[in-house]
Amino acid sequence: MKALYDGFDLCHPSTSVSMTINGPAPTILAMFLNTAIAQQMAVFKAQHGREPDAAEAMQVKANTLESVRGTVQADILKEDQGQNTCIFSTEFSLKLMGDIQQYFIANKVRNFYSVSISGYHIAEAGANPISQLAFTLSNGFTFVEAWLARGMHIDDFAQNLSFFFSNGMDPEYTVLGRVARRIWSTSMREKYGANERSQKLKYHIQTSGRSLHAQEMSFNDIRTTLQALIAIYDNCNSLHTNAYDEAVTTPTEESVRRAMAIQLIINKEWGLSKNENPNQGAFIIDELTDLLEEAVMLEFERIAERGGVLGAMETGYQRGRIQDESMYYEHKKHDGSLPIVGVNTYLNPHGDGNDGEFSIALARSTDDEKQNQIRRLRDFHQRHQSESERAIERLKQAAIHDQNVFEVLMDAVQYCSLGQITNAFFEVGGQYRRNM
């Protein structure tokens, strides 16, 4: 982690780090925060010509935690429902997430989001925009209820929550953020008595990876441009535009530059985007907003009938809905009733349209890179063998006695690898087993 962020000032106001990781998120987050603290300790030493004493070290740590900016995804509910990379039991994962949030409150971590409540992966797994929004918001309210049940105050943690949606080509995506904010702010105000800041839903948009195709690959930039445009019109807080080749491989420098150009051209050259909410007041926008909100509310009722989000997960309700909607989409794509230009309609008579235009090099790590990482990990284990055994035992005891595991984890990551910590958590927190 220190090597990864070498050269970056992690406490600079312009630096924000997004970590899209879920199952092992608490451990990776602890590694990241330790890296930021180590950076500031090095700055202190350079300025004063000595190591900080105990009191000064505590102050440096406190200042770092108050300054660091970014997001860790850590959304274990959408993992079960859509992305399928759970490693710990759901109950233990929720406990770890709550421990992170309590640590954030105790250490005044205000500029870092402790969870990115993610609909993007639900959409990528096949959900339509209505299900994406309904499942994501219901997951968000489940986190709120879980944190309140642990004794946290709504205004102490709501500002550390963020959301993450996909923007596809369906008309509902045009008002996805608007509907999300309407439902969230009303609920936070009327049900939870939250203050104004806690009522504000902050969300990130990523253009739809599922809408990208290997055929006529250059057309993907056109789809991404339109998806980015509606995201900006709907006032997303941040935006990721997919590269045209993401349907095939890890994006190249050239394809990422093109994806970035989409955002820059919209923001710098497209005149209408200089006006905030340019679609506001249009009949279609207001009508779509009301229709989408009503559809989401009906989905909330179906989830409530099944015992809420966690009860519905026990029967595989969300996963089943996502799979059904994915199959419906694929059928429509393959029978042509959902026209996709260059894929199932207006086909290129000269092949897939990519001949001579793109030379795609698949991104793969080399065996040397793999062996280098194995050697580094083995050296780390040997250097910290005695400390790691004690740290692992402290982690297990913290979990067994229902203490704040993340607080102990902040120390353990200095001596233990991700694999060692994960195996320790398996022993005390349980390993994930899918309900069939």
Side-chain angles (χ1 to χ4, degrees):
M1 191 71 76
K2 290 176 181 176
L4 181 65
Y5 288 106
D6 183 40
F8 291 89
D9 181 356
L10 296 179
C11 286
H12 194 277
S14 66
T15 301
S16 178
V17 175
S18 174
M19 292 181 281
T20 51
I21 193 162
N22 295 279
T27 306
I28 300 298
L29 176 62
M31 291 177 177
F32 170 79
L33 294 177
N34 270 278
T35 301
I37 293 166
Q39 278 191 359
Q40 296 309 304
M41 294 292 186
V43 170
F44 181 98
K45 183 178 180 180
Q47 292 175 342
H48 297 85
R50 61 176 177 82
E51 299 286 351
D53 60 30
E56 290 167 335
M58 289 293 291
Q59 189 59 53
V60 169
K61 178 181 178 181
N63 292 342
T64 301
L65 293 175
E66 288 183 30
S67 302
V68 70
R69 306 175 69 88
T71 308
V72 62
Q73 199 163 98
D75 181 356
I76 203 61
L77 298 182
K78 65 89 182 173
E79 286 299 309
D80 178 276
Q81 297 164 19
Q83 201 170 14
N84 198 25
T85 58
C86 302
I87 56 176
F88 306 126
S89 68
T90 302
E91 183 180 6
F92 185 66
S93 295
L94 283 171
K95 185 242 182 320
L96 286 177
M97 291 176 65
D99 288 349
I100 292 172
Q101 184 55 62
Q102 284 197 316
Y103 183 88
F104 276 23
I105 293 171
N107 290 275
K108 300 179 181 177
V109 183
R110 289 289 181 263
N111 299 316
F112 208 97
Y113 296 113
S114 66
V115 55
S116 174
I117 305 159
S118 302
Y120 182 85
H121 308 94
I122 291 172
E124 288 293 286
N128 66 36
I130 295 170
S131 296
Q132 178 196 176
L133 185 54
F135 293 165
T136 307
L137 287 177
S138 61
N139 289 346
F141 289 126
T142 301
F143 291 132
V144 168
E145 292 287 349
W147 297 179
L148 290 173
R150 290 183 54 150
M152 301 181 220
H153 188 274
I154 188 71
D155 294 327
D156 286 340
F157 67 80
Q159 60 193 330
N160 290 119
L161 304 178
S162 66
F163 286 81
F164 176 21
F165 299 119
S166 169
N167 257 17
M169 303 296 283
D170 300 287
E172 291 89 351
Y173 288 114
T174 313
V175 295
L176 197 79
R178 174 185 292 235
V179 174
R181 284 177 169 141
R182 182 190 284 187
I183 293 174
W184 185 259
S185 63
T186 301
S187 301
M188 296 299 278
R189 181 180 64 251
E190 302 298 333
K191 179 172 175 58
Y192 299 108
N195 64 25
E196 182 179 345
R197 183 175 180 186
S198 298
Q199 295 170 29
K200 294 178 178 178
L201 181 145
K202 292 142 292 189
Y203 75 96
H204 171 80
I205 285 289
Q206 181 173 345
T207 56
S208 172
R210 191 166 61 126
S211 71
L212 306 183
H213 301 277
Q215 305 101 303
E216 298 278 13
M217 204 179 300
S218 62
F219 290 5
N220 289 335
D221 276 343
I222 301 169
R223 298 183 179 98
T224 295
T225 299
L226 295 170
Q227 294 160 7
L229 194 64
I230 62 172
I232 289 172
Y233 281 3
D234 206 27
N235 284 310
C236 64
N237 295 91
S238 60
L239 174 65
H240 170 95
T241 37
N242 284 329
Y244 64 82
D245 53 359
E246 287 193 37
V248 177
T249 185
T250 302
T252 62
E253 183 177 350
E254 182 269 340
S255 66
V256 169
R257 180 170 172 78
R258 286 171 58 137
M260 278 298 301
I262 292 172
Q263 295 196 41
L264 292 171
I265 291 168
I266 292 173
N267 282 319
K268 303 296 183 183
E269 299 183 32
W270 182 244
L272 191 58
S273 69
K274 299 181 189 302
N275 177 66
E276 196 167 292
N277 273 328
N279 292 331
Q280 188 165 329
F283 170 80
I284 181 60
I285 298 300
D286 288 346
E287 184 73 2
L288 268 176
T289 302
D290 292 340
L291 290 171
L292 182 56
E293 182 179 25
E294 181 181 2
V296 169
M297 291 298 187
L298 289 172
E299 186 58 58
F300 282 174
E301 291 183 8
R302 288 190 282 269
I303 292 172
E305 289 169 356
R306 291 162 172 80
V309 166
L310 297 176
M313 284 168 57
E314 289 182 6
T315 62
Y317 171 71
Q318 296 97 326
R319 176 171 291 273
R321 282 292 300 275
I322 292 168
Q323 290 173 343
D324 287 346
E325 289 165 9
S326 176
M327 183 65 72
Y328 179 69
Y329 168 83
E330 292 298 328
H331 274 303
K332 287 177 68 68
K333 183 172 75 173
H334 286 283
D335 68 19
S337 57
L338 175 65
I340 301 175
V341 176
V343 176
N344 62 12
T345 186
Y346 299 105
L347 302 181
N348 191 321
H350 307 295
D352 65 6
N354 295 329
D355 295 339
E357 186 176 357
F358 297 106
S359 177
I360 301 298
L362 300 183
R364 298 288 186 268
S365 62
T366 66
D367 187 64
D368 285 344
E369 290 170 330
K370 175 183 175 181
Q371 296 304 324
N372 178 54
Q373 176 61 20
I374 291 172
R375 283 193 298 271
R376 291 169 59 219
L377 180 62
R378 189 180 296 123
D379 290 343
F380 181 85
H381 284 164
Q382 290 174 350
R383 287 199 312 273
H384 300 293
Q385 185 173 1
S386 59
E387 297 102 324
S388 65
E389 291 175 359
R390 290 193 293 270
I392 289 296
E393 186 58 32
R394 287 197 298 271
L395 269 180
K396 291 180 180 179
Q397 291 303 313
I400 291 169
H401 297 291
D402 200 26
Q403 298 167 351
N404 191 307
V405 176
F406 189 73
E407 197 166 337
V408 182
L409 191 58
M410 282 288 289
D411 179 62
V413 293
Q414 299 178 53
Y415 313 109
C416 308
S417 68
L418 176 61
Q420 289 174 314
I421 291 169
T422 300
N423 286 327
F425 284 158
F426 283 157
E427 293 181 28
V428 293
Q431 196 165 352
Y432 180 79
R433 292 288 184 271
R434 178 164 311 287
N435 291 321
M436 301 301 290

